[in-house]
Amino acid sequence: MPLREFTNRHLVRLLATRSRRTDITPWELTQSHIELGRFLAGELVELLELEPCEIQHPQGIRKGWKVAREEEIVLLPFLRAGLYAADGVREVLRLAPVIHISPKRETGLSEAELGQLPPIAGRTFILIDSVVNTGASLEPVLRQLRERGAGQLIAVALVGPVATAKRLEGAFPDVHFLFARVSENQYTGVGATDTGNRLFGTLPSKGQEARLTHEPKGRE
């Protein structure tokens, strides 16, 4: 499926400008992620089936719409930086169960973690992260779900490098990728530049920062 990105949307530009700033509080950053997640939810529901429902209108019972079999759709936020983007998605998909995952780079989820998921075959999964840098954590999970017969697969991210986005689009033609924006600026967050640290206020001291820059990289 063609990767969809919304880099030039005015709303995305405004929200992304706020999320990229370092002079905001962790709470303010979480709100930016929630707002971007909500925006992406508005786009991804276009990929889902709707069905009619009855609603109580001021003039009596009327026809409305709901997401078909929403309770069978599974949201998979990547810990920990994908949590607040997932909260934004949940403002639209309120019945979909949420299962937090923390896949290992290159290998994905363990058999025990896969066993904690509901039956995979035929089910829609929405994978949610804040940043897809190299795709080293996302790709193995997509393969694992695909190999087990998953139905519709949708990967949602707030940002990803242009090169990674293009490669994912070619490698997984059956997956819907929705990125709020793509960027030519590619780097692996460490210490003060790590999105999780910025979201949760766990920024390291200067001494810790110096050590972190020389340690092996974690999940991307």
Side-chain angles (χ1 to χ4, degrees), residues 1-219:
M1 307 293 177
L3 180 143
R4 299 181 62 200
E5 51 89 7
F6 311 94
T7 307
N8 294 321
R9 291 274 187 95
H10 287 188
L11 178 58
V12 171
R13 285 180 172 180
L14 293 172
L15 294 176
T17 295
R18 190 183 311 164
S19 71
R20 293 166 60 210
R21 293 175 56 168
T22 59
D23 59 342
I24 61 174
T25 66
W27 182 85
E28 289 171 315
L29 181 59
T30 67
Q31 300 310 295
S32 293
H33 280 221
I34 290 171
E35 290 169 343
L36 282 164
R38 186 190 306 122
F39 166 82
L40 288 169
E43 298 296 330
L44 75 84
V45 292
E46 296 295 323
L47 303 173
L48 304 176
E49 180 185 351
L50 299 185
E51 62 184 12
C53 64
E54 290 186 346
I55 62 170
Q56 182 64 55
H57 186 272
Q59 295 176 302
I61 301 298
R62 293 290 187 271
K63 177 183 174 181
W65 295 94
K66 65 179 182 178
V67 175
R69 301 173 298 282
E70 182 180 341
E71 66 280 357
E72 297 178 11
I73 298 169
V74 178
L75 306 182
L76 299 178
F78 282 50
L79 291 175
R80 59 182 171 158
L83 286 176
Y84 293 104
D87 282 347
V89 173
R90 291 188 75 194
E91 290 189 14
V92 176
L93 297 177
R94 301 183 178 187
L95 297 178
V98 179
I99 301 176
H100 301 110
I101 60 174
S102 186
K104 290 183 171 57
R105 286 167 47 83
E106 311 297 347
T107 59
L109 301 174
S110 67
E111 287 300 322
E113 291 170 315
L114 287 166
Q116 293 175 356
L117 300 179
I120 293 174
R123 191 180 297 268
T124 295
F125 288 88
I126 302 174
L127 293 76
I128 306 168
D129 206 352
S130 60
V131 181
V132 174
N133 189 8
T134 65
S137 297
L138 174 63
E139 290 186 65
V141 180
L142 290 174
R143 286 194 294 268
Q144 289 173 317
L145 294 174
R146 186 169 59 184
E147 289 166 359
R148 288 162 176 78
Q152 193 172 35
L153 293 174
I154 304 172
V156 173
L158 305 189
V159 66
V162 172
T164 298
K166 289 181 178 178
R167 183 176 56 76
L168 289 172
E169 182 180 32
F172 296 90
D174 55 335
V175 176
H176 294 277
F177 293 97
L178 282 78
F179 286 16
R181 65 187 184 93
V182 292
S183 174
E184 296 288 355
N185 183 29
Q186 180 171 3
Y187 68 95
T188 300
V190 176
T193 63
D194 176 74
T195 302
N197 285 336
R198 293 180 61 223
L199 283 168
F200 292 92
T202 53
L203 298 176
S205 66
K206 289 184 178 179
Q208 291 173 322
E209 180 79 10
R211 290 196 298 273
L212 283 169
T213 57
H214 293 92
E215 290 179 355
K217 295 178 176 127
R219 187 179 69 76

